[in-house]
Amino acid sequence: MSDFLLELRSEEIPARMQAGARAELEKLFRREMDAAGVDVGDITVWSTPRRLALIARGLPDATQPVSSEEKGPPLGAPDQAVDGFCRKQGVSREDLEVREVKGRETYFAVKNIPGRATKDLLAEAIPAIIRDFSWPKSMRWGEASRSTESLRWVRPLSGIVALLGEELVECEVHGVTSGWVTLGHRFHHSGDITIGSADDYAEKLRACHVIVDHEERQDIVRERAAAVASEAGLKLVKDEGLVIENAGLTEWPVPLLGRFDEDFLDVPPEVIQLTARVNQKYFVCENADGKLANAFVCTANIEAADGGAAIVDGNRKVLAARLSDARFFWELDQKTPLREHAKKLERITFHEKLGSVADKVDRVAKLAEWLTSDARAPNGDHNLARQAAELSKSDLVTEMVGEFPELQGLMGGYYAEKEGLPQDVADAIRDHYKPVGQDDEVPTAPLTVAVSLADKLDNLFSFFNIDILPTGSKDPFALRRAALGYLRLVQANGLELSLEQAAQAWGGLGQAKLGTRVAEFLSDRLAVQMREEGVRHDYIAASREWQGHTDARTDRIEARARALAEFLKTDNGTNLLAGYKRAANILKKEDWLGIEGEIARTGEEDPLALVDDPDMKAVVDAKMSERHARELSYTPEPAEKALIEALDAAEPQASQAIEKEDFAAAMSALASLRAPIDAFFEEVTVNDPDEDKRASRLDLLARFRAAVHNVADFSKIEG
């Protein structure tokens, strides 16, 4: 057993590509070894800006010989069948053996594959790994690059170290041959380094100022950056992405603290942090009071003799130039009121079928005003809601957002404050994109909620109206994100908002069906969201209907689903579900519609449509009452009578609870039916030879089914 070391050295690998490259190297190595029949145990993969390294522990010195035999067609079979069998098994016809199987002579392919030295297998695998390596971006170089068949790599490949134990694995790729020699730090070590084996690889490089373990470098950046800030009485603003990026840019990371001019602190702190982070890869610091300090932490790739003073000074000058640009944008943007900025939105196309961004703003403003006035969801000042919505996208045309698109909304809030607009309006402009992700803060201020809801609903209504919907793999206009944002706003603020009414307020009285389509989409997203909380998707499906149609209120769907989930955790719930399914199966087998059968005799093509029609509810209820009140032509059995009485008591209780949207109480009313329905099935024969008894009992089961359906559609519940 031997350890294998592979180092692929090149010019600088972008930090953002290194994690993917590590995963790709391990995947391809395992692929090649599996194909060669080599058992692979633990694998370690490291990366620096100049190298990828893989260490595989405990590889066998050779593969085991393998013998196999496969039964083929019988002797005398057509030549095509025999030749096809040979091709499949990778043997020639002359290699086939003939054996007797159950008295019939049959061809067999017998293969004896000798073991091979792992060293030889690795020599074949390394070029395949390098050639098949997938990079987000790659290049060709040198004379060979004239051919499209030449090697592509992220940067020019310059060296290969391949050692199995202490032996060299000889191979060649694109003119680069494997060897024992690698290079150390670009500045701290100028000579070659000879590697003896995988065991001394990391330590020999460390001695030459290369920390090959990327996780160790990340720990150094994280800990030393916090330490140098603490030594200056400051607190480092944590940024794990920046930790990983700085570790990917250095082989010997040395965090250093620097200062910039305090005058720049007049610029919003988010601008300073983004300028330092995006342009220079610097951390920023806070004072003891939590405010941004005029300090930054940069990560050098060298230990300087002067302690890094010259490096810090150079970085300070570069940051000062960047912050000067940011301050210029900040001051320039304030010279134009947001209302004037908003006029420029007419020149920006939102979508070719939906007009400009200015057109979108008009729709959002109209909807925000309606939400705070007529809908009162949330209840706020409708004039201020309209004002905030009209100005919400104005910062898109500012210089600052042009430079840093990540600051859209935020800069609008700052500019609104500088203009002296009401604080609620400024906050609404700043936060109307929230929540953006699952972990993002959810607004609760009424004006902000109104503008945020209006913005997300406009996206949903607009694209659904022109039939641009998300697919399984594509969602170019982030409608799923808009849906999740809508749901979280409704949940956090306890809103009761009808999407049909919202669609009509958005596009006119004829848009109720659009609201229904969006409601169906949102209920699907709600099912995904609640599944993570342990509420099954079929509970959502069972709660989606309201008065015969898709419920346009997601809050009501959620409340019913949660109540149903709690109810079905109880014995009463699980047993009632079993009773319901038994009743439904009997009715389905007998093709018994109950009251629907009587309505069918009215001549209506689809009697169920009448039952679901809210306008026919009174008629249906009247017929149900009449039918239930009709005296039986026989004396009911005790269990049958008990179920009738239980339904007489439970139906009005459940209906009243549903009207009040007290779904827990409605479920509780259903719970009273559990024992009577169990006893009914235990003691009563439904398909009695007497036609009157049979019809009455089937009607009773249909009544039981309808009572349950009034609370939730148990037919949608799985299991």
Side-chain angles (χ1 to χ4, degrees):
M1 305 287 282
S2 302
D3 296 340
F4 172 64
L5 165 68
L6 174 64
E7 182 197 70
L8 304 176
R9 196 171 65 257
S10 69
E11 299 302 318
E12 268 70 10
I13 304 170
R16 67 182 183 279
M17 297 186 188
Q18 290 175 25
R22 294 193 297 269
E24 180 77 355
L25 180 57
E26 179 174 354
K27 181 188 77 173
L28 292 176
F29 181 76
R30 288 189 182 277
R31 182 197 73 180
E32 293 298 315
M33 294 299 97
D34 288 346
V38 177
D39 292 331
V40 178
D42 293 336
I43 290 180
T44 301
V45 185
W46 291 320
S47 65
T48 80
R50 303 176 69 197
R51 71 200 77 221
L52 291 173
L54 177 146
I55 295 177
R57 302 287 182 185
L59 294 186
D61 295 328
T63 59
Q64 296 295 320
V66 177
S67 296
S68 67
E69 59 179 48
E70 294 291 338
K71 179 183 173 185
L75 196 68
D79 289 342
Q80 289 181 338
V82 178
D83 291 341
F85 174 68
C86 289
R87 284 193 302 271
K88 182 179 180 181
Q89 298 303 320
V91 298
S92 65
R93 194 159 184 163
E94 292 73 22
D95 296 331
L96 296 177
E97 295 183 8
V98 178
R99 300 178 186 176
E100 187 175 303
V101 178
K102 296 181 180 180
R104 187 174 187 181
E105 291 185 322
T106 304
Y107 285 117
F108 276 81
V110 179
K111 292 184 288 185
N112 295 306
I113 304 172
R116 292 187 64 194
T118 302
K119 179 180 173 182
D120 295 337
L121 295 173
L122 289 168
E124 296 173 1
I126 293 169
I129 290 171
I130 294 173
R131 283 193 301 268
D132 294 348
F133 212 98
S134 176
W135 294 97
K137 290 185 179 181
S138 57
M139 62 180 289
R140 296 192 296 267
W141 63 94
E143 284 295 322
S145 64
R146 294 180 180 181
S147 169
T148 57
E149 300 301 317
S150 65
L151 177 67
R152 297 186 67 93
W153 196 249
V154 62
R155 296 289 186 270
L157 188 67
S158 58
I160 300 172
V161 175
L163 302 176
L164 182 62
E166 296 180 355
E167 293 185 49
L168 176 66
V169 177
E170 297 183 15
C171 62
E172 183 270 335
V173 182
H174 194 65
V176 180
T177 57
S178 60
W180 286 274
V181 175
T182 187
L183 298 177
H185 193 280
R186 187 183 295 277
F187 305 112
H188 284 302
H189 191 275
S190 58
D192 292 342
I193 306 169
T194 301
I195 305 298
S197 68
D199 292 335
D200 66 2
Y201 174 69
E203 290 311 312
K204 281 194 173 182
L205 281 173
R206 185 187 301 274
C208 299
H209 283 76
V210 174
I211 299 174
V212 72
D213 185 345
H214 53 276
E215 292 186 354
E216 183 181 349
R217 297 198 310 277
Q218 290 171 18
D219 291 340
I220 291 171
V221 172
R222 188 183 300 109
E223 294 167 7
R224 284 299 303 151
V228 295
S230 179
E231 289 165 7
L234 304 172
K235 180 181 178 183
L236 191 78
V237 175
K238 293 182 179 180
D239 190 331
E240 191 60 24
L242 206 50
V243 167
I244 294 171
E245 188 163 14
N246 275 280
L249 292 168
T250 56
E251 290 192 321
W252 192 261
V254 181
L256 301 168
L257 179 77
R259 295 278 186 173
F260 58 84
D261 194 330
E262 285 192 13
D263 291 345
F264 288 122
L265 293 177
D266 292 338
V267 178
E270 295 87 352
V271 174
I272 296 174
Q273 183 173 4
L274 202 57
T275 299
R277 185 189 198 281
V278 173
N279 293 323
Q280 302 306 128
K281 318 304 179 191
Y282 300 160
F283 296 92
V284 294
C285 303
E286 293 177 343
N287 292 316
D289 58 2
K291 293 183 179 180
L292 192 70
N294 64 322
F296 65 93
V297 176
C298 61
T299 305
N301 190 32
I302 187 172
E303 283 187 353
D306 62 356
I311 295 174
V312 169
D313 189 55
N315 281 279
R316 179 190 60 76
K317 291 176 181 177
V318 175
L319 180 59
R322 294 287 190 179
L323 292 178
S324 294
D325 290 342
R327 182 165 58 186
F328 173 76
F329 294 148
W330 167 244
E331 294 171 350
L332 179 63
D333 288 337
Q334 292 179 59
K335 294 178 181 179
T336 304
L338 284 177
R339 187 69 66 178
E340 292 299 314
H341 280 303
K343 295 178 181 178
K344 303 174 189 175
L345 297 174
E346 297 174 358
R347 305 198 301 260
I348 303 175
T349 300
F350 176 60
H351 186 276
E352 59 182 359
K353 295 182 179 180
L354 298 172
S356 66
V357 175
D359 295 326
K360 173 182 173 58
V361 167
D362 288 342
R363 296 192 300 268
V364 171
K366 176 183 175 183
L367 195 51
E369 184 176 20
W370 175 82
L371 286 168
T372 48
S373 56
D374 294 348
R376 298 192 179 281
N379 193 0
D381 187 316
H382 63 93
N383 290 319
L384 292 180
R386 170 172 277 279
Q387 182 185 21
E390 289 174 341
L391 301 177
S392 61
K393 308 295 182 183
S394 298
D395 63 354
L396 293 178
V397 294
T398 62
E399 297 293 334
M400 188 69 81
V401 174
E403 180 72 13
F404 297 115
E406 304 94 325
L407 297 177
Q408 58 185 312
L410 181 71
M411 295 312 303
Y414 277 119
Y415 294 142
E417 288 179 351
K418 288 292 184 179
E419 271 188 48
L421 296 179
Q423 189 61 47
D424 288 352
V425 172
D427 291 345
I429 295 171
R430 180 192 65 208
D431 294 333
H432 80 279
Y433 290 105
K434 294 181 179 181
V436 176
Q438 182 65 48
D439 300 324
D440 196 15
E441 176 188 1
V442 182
T444 55
L447 288 191
T448 306
V449 172
V451 180
S452 182
L453 277 175
D455 187 42
K456 292 166 178 58
L457 284 175
D458 176 70
N459 284 347
L460 292 165
F461 290 149
S462 294
F463 287 105
F464 269 71
N465 197 42
I466 59 175
D467 292 321
I468 294 181
L469 313 179
T471 64
S473 60
K474 295 182 179 180
D475 185 12
F477 300 103
L479 298 185
R480 292 191 185 95
R481 186 171 67 189
L484 178 60
Y486 172 87
L487 292 172
R488 294 189 66 207
L489 284 164
V490 167
Q491 292 161 346
N493 293 280
L495 303 181
E496 298 178 358
L497 180 61
S498 167
L499 287 159
E500 290 180 351
Q501 293 176 6
Q504 290 174 323
W506 174 83
L509 295 178
Q511 294 288 6
K513 289 184 178 179
L514 174 62
T516 301
R517 290 178 66 199
V518 172
E520 291 170 349
F521 174 68
L522 285 168
S523 64
D524 289 339
R525 305 318 303 166
L526 179 65
V528 173
Q529 182 197 50
M530 295 185 67
R531 183 174 60 204
E532 297 175 359
E533 301 178 30
V535 178
R536 288 170 24 184
H537 69 92
D538 50 334
Y539 296 169
I540 298 289
S543 308
R544 288 174 67 161
E545 297 293 315
W546 184 260
Q547 297 180 346
H549 293 83
T550 299
D551 197 341
R553 279 178 45 195
T554 59
D555 67 290
R556 191 159 53 198
I557 295 174
E558 180 179 351
R560 292 176 80 186
R562 290 190 185 279
L564 182 59
E566 290 301 315
F567 178 57
L568 291 177
K569 289 179 183 177
T570 65
D571 289 341
N572 282 338
T574 53
N575 290 327
L576 185 69
L577 175 61
Y580 166 85
K581 288 188 176 294
R582 187 172 179 182
N585 287 336
I586 292 172
L587 293 169
K588 181 179 180 180
K589 183 178 179 181
E590 298 298 324
D591 195 24
W592 192 263
L593 297 178
I595 185 62
E596 294 92 326
E598 288 189 5
I599 297 175
R601 291 194 290 273
T602 64
E604 172 64 38
E605 289 184 15
D606 183 5
L608 292 178
L610 285 174
V611 175
D612 288 340
D613 188 345
D615 295 336
M616 291 296 294
K617 189 175 186 304
V619 176
V620 174
D621 288 346
K623 280 192 169 289
M624 291 289 284
S625 299
E626 176 187 344
R627 188 172 187 131
H628 297 159
R630 189 184 304 158
E631 290 189 9
L632 298 177
S633 61
Y634 64 95
T635 302
E637 296 184 24
E640 185 177 2
K641 183 180 180 183
L643 180 57
I644 294 171
E645 292 173 349
L647 282 167
D648 288 341
E651 282 176 324
Q653 292 177 13
S655 295
Q656 290 171 12
I658 290 293
E659 286 181 10
K660 296 177 182 177
E661 299 183 15
D662 186 350
F663 301 112
M667 302 291 173
S668 178
L670 285 186
S672 66
L673 299 176
R674 175 262 178 108
I677 193 65
D678 287 349
F680 178 84
F681 283 126
E682 186 71 26
E683 301 174 20
V684 178
T685 301
V686 176
N687 285 320
D688 194 280
D690 186 311
E691 285 298 320
D692 283 348
K693 289 184 178 180
R694 175 178 175 276
S696 295
R697 289 167 182 172
L698 287 171
D699 274 347
L700 185 58
L701 290 182
R703 181 185 173 192
F704 166 72
R705 180 182 63 181
V708 173
H709 273 185
N710 190 41
V711 177
D713 187 352
F714 276 40
S715 68
K716 301 289 178 62
I717 299 174
E718 301 172 0

